[in-house]
Amino acid sequence: MDTHHKRMIGAQFRTSLENEILVFHYPQPAKRLFHTMWCPPLRMVVLDFNDVNQEVLFDQIVQPWHFVSLPAGRVILEMDPKDDYKDVLPEILSTVGPMQRID
């Protein structure tokens, strides 16, 4: 999610994310409220990390047309409910350092 427009739209108006994982990277952990209006069912994951380890704070399937209160974390992932992120997590975490963050 490397532009303001992509971040604003997210998974809205799609029928499926297929094998795509949307990555929202924030400069500091904070509680956030996401909505799933006009979205397909999503698996949402909230991560916080430091130089030594990462912690999964939230990992749930969220149905369309809901508000989701997310715990304080630096990275939020959205993906198709059948997809898993664990195999690509090292790649995601290595990319979020240099990637543009949502300020």
Side-chain angles (χ1 to χ4, degrees):
M1 306 309 291
D2 58 354
T3 69
H4 177 71
H5 188 259
K6 285 181 186 177
R7 292 178 196 130
M8 183 178 69
I9 299 297
Q12 293 181 86
F13 313 114
R14 298 184 187 200
T15 56
S16 170
L17 289 180
E18 298 181 14
N19 292 322
E20 185 177 5
I21 297 177
L22 304 182
V23 179
F24 299 82
H25 181 211
Y26 296 93
Q28 292 151 23
K31 291 183 179 181
R32 303 196 192 304
L33 183 65
F34 269 49
H35 72 79
T36 61
M37 280 61 162
W38 304 286
C39 295
L42 297 171
R43 181 177 184 183
M44 296 183 77
V45 178
V46 178
L47 303 163
D48 203 16
F49 62 93
N50 57 36
D51 293 336
V52 180
N53 59 7
Q54 69 271 345
E55 182 179 5
V56 176
L57 306 171
F58 182 92
D59 185 348
Q60 291 185 17
I61 308 287
V62 180
Q63 295 303 314
W65 297 97
H66 285 84
F67 284 98
V68 185
S69 181
L70 298 174
R74 288 188 176 98
V75 174
I76 298 170
L77 307 176
E78 292 181 350
M79 68 202 81
D80 194 89
K82 67 181 177 2
D83 288 343
D84 193 11
Y85 63 94
K86 292 177 184 133
D87 291 342
V88 294
L89 186 57
E91 180 183 350
I92 291 170
L93 293 178
S94 71
T95 349
V96 293
M99 107 186 224
Q100 183 182 9
R101 294 180 287 192
I102 300 173
D103 294 322

